[in-house]
């Protein structure tokens, strides 16, 4: 049956591979990619080669007004019949900064805005458009464990605080440093898992939600805001680690992502999928109080952009 899958972060890295895999393996799927500005048209041209059904909507995930506009456009296309029924949302886009002080036009810390609030607003505005059975997949990261085993000490572990604090610049010690920027990243990925757990409680039956961890994937665009030495290492040196169990190649991570979206990897709602299998996330990531508080706060932060949409 024809259906629509909406995807952020499809332009590069594991998302680019995953998008191509979804189209190859699910010929009934219409892939709607959320892309920044002028990048959407060439991306659609590449992914849609051979007549595969792909379209795009423009959005800057660092602007909640832009996300609202994109989600409104998606709702219109679904309601008008331009798009088949919505059965998937893939929140794969992510960013990491060299500090924890970068501020969006809405006044939020940029890592939290892109990695947490943008996807929450999409889910909130599309909630009543999902046609069961449907699946929401949020790309997580094993940096949320905060130990050497899971990220070789490359990224500090999360430093959880009240959502009101995390959402604003300067939440972490020495917020002008790269260490603080990486802490903001791992904390945002813990937040994503919290929201997946809470969505599993709040979303209608038949709309499943899953957190997907690709593992350490060198060579992606995640380090694009880093210093030149770090960018060089991520692009040219660390990819060698994909020959070991400590890292995942982009192609493998993209295939695993497609497996989760298409349900090839079996995962009940609220699950954490580590590459190709369902697993337990960190002990800290199971906290119903934090999960509810974060979801309620995310609703408050996005309320001005969700007029007419019911809170989760």
């Amino acid at each position: 049956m024809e259906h629509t899958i909406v995807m952020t972060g499809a332009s590069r890295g594991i998302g680019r591979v995953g998008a191509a895999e979804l189209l190859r393996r699910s010929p009934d799927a219409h892939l709607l990619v959320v892309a920044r500005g002028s990048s959407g048209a060439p991306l659609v041209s590449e992914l849609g080669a051979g007549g595969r059904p792909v379209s795009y909507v423009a959005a800057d995930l660092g602007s909640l007004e832009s996300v609202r506009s994109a989600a409104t456009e998606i709702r219109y296309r679904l309601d008008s019949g331009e798009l088949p029924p919505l059965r998937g949302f893939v929140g794969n886009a992510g960013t990491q900064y060299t500090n924890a002080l970068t501020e969006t036009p809405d006044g939020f810390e940029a890592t939290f805005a892109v990695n947490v609030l943008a996807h929450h607003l999409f889910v909130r505005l599309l909630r009543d458009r999902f046609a069961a059975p449907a699946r929401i997949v949020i790309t997580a990261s094993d940096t949320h464990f905060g130990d050497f085993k899971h990220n070789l000490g490359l990224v500090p572990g999360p430093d959880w605080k009240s959502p009101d604090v995390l959402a604003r610049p300067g939440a972490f010690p020495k917020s002008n440093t790269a260490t603080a920027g990486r802490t903001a990243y791992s904390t945002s990925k813990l937040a994503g898992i919290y929201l997946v757990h809470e969505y599993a409680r709040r979303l209608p039956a038949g709309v499943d939600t899953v957190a997907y961890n690709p593992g350490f994937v060198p060579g992606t665009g995640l380090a694009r805001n880093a210093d030149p030495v770090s960018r060089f290492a991520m692009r040219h040196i660390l990819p060698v680690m994909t020959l070991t169990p400590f890292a995942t190649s982009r192609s493998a991570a993209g295939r695993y992502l497609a497996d989760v979206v298409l349900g090839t990897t079996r995962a009940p709602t609220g699950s954490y999928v580590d590459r190709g299998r369902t697993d337990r996330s960190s002990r800290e990531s199971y906290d119903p109080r934090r999960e509810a508080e974060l979801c309620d706060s995310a609703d408050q932060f996005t309320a001005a952009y969700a007029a007419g949409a019911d809170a989760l």
Side-chain angles (χ1 to χ4, degrees):
M1 183 180 298
E2 291 187 353
H3 61 279
T4 296
I5 298 174
V6 176
M7 183 175 186
T8 71
S11 61
R12 57 165 65 92
I14 68 173
R16 179 66 176 76
V17 175
E21 283 287 310
L22 288 173
L23 289 166
R24 182 181 67 82
R25 293 161 52 186
S26 184
D28 290 337
H30 181 113
L31 184 64
L32 176 63
V33 295
V34 179
R36 181 190 287 265
S38 60
S39 67
L43 179 60
V44 166
S45 178
E46 293 172 13
L47 290 171
R52 289 169 176 161
V54 188
S55 59
Y56 83 98
V57 62
D60 175 1
L61 299 189
S63 163
L64 293 181
E65 175 58 33
S66 182
V67 172
R68 183 206 62 78
S69 178
T72 300
E73 174 65 20
I74 294 169
R75 288 163 63 100
Y76 170 78
R77 294 186 197 179
L78 289 165
D79 294 347
S80 67
E82 181 180 341
L83 291 172
L86 178 63
R87 286 204 164 87
F89 175 78
V90 187
N92 178 66
T95 192
Q96 180 178 301
Y97 290 87
T98 56
N99 59 63
L101 293 172
T102 304
E103 187 173 356
T104 70
D106 309 298
F108 296 107
E109 192 277 317
T111 312
F112 191 86
V114 173
N115 296 1
V116 182
L117 295 182
H119 290 143
H120 180 78
L121 184 55
F122 268 120
V123 171
R124 183 174 183 178
L125 290 176
L126 296 177
R127 176 189 182 185
D128 60 357
R129 296 305 195 273
F130 283 105
R135 173 165 283 197
I136 296 167
V137 177
I138 303 297
T139 298
S141 167
D142 50 13
T143 59
H144 85 277
F145 280 92
D147 57 18
F148 186 85
K149 174 184 176 182
H150 288 91
N151 61 58
L152 304 178
L154 296 172
V155 179
D159 182 7
W160 191 257
K161 303 175 187 297
S162 162
D164 289 335
V165 174
L166 293 175
R168 306 299 176 181
F172 306 104
K174 299 181 180 178
S175 286
N176 62 329
T177 65
T179 297
R182 294 181 183 125
T183 302
Y185 176 78
S186 62
T187 304
S188 75
K189 291 302 182 177
L190 176 62
I193 297 172
Y194 283 152
L195 286 179
V196 163
H197 292 164
E198 195 63 17
Y199 292 162
R201 299 184 185 101
R202 301 191 187 194
L203 289 171
V207 181
D208 292 346
T209 176
V210 177
Y212 162 65
N213 168 45
F216 173 51
V217 186
T220 67
L222 187 60
R224 57 188 175 274
N225 295 314
D227 61 88
V229 173
S230 296
R231 292 201 304 272
F232 180 85
M234 279 291 288
R235 187 172 300 170
H236 300 291
I237 299 175
L238 293 179
V240 176
M241 292 181 62
T242 59
L243 301 175
T244 75
F246 297 106
T248 313
S249 69
R250 280 179 292 178
S251 58
R255 291 194 302 271
Y256 289 140
L257 174 59
D259 287 340
V260 178
V261 176
L262 296 175
T264 306
T265 299
R266 300 185 62 180
T269 189
S271 293
Y272 176 81
V273 175
D274 181 8
R275 285 157 278 202
R277 62 189 179 90
T278 304
D279 203 351
R280 296 277 295 179
S281 49
S282 71
R283 180 178 299 178
E284 185 181 8
S285 70
Y286 298 92
D287 190 321
R289 182 189 61 79
R290 287 184 181 179
E291 292 157 6
E293 180 187 32
L294 175 61
C295 198
D296 289 343
S297 294
D299 272 347
Q300 293 171 14
F301 298 147
T302 59
Y305 308 93
D310 292 333
L312 282 170

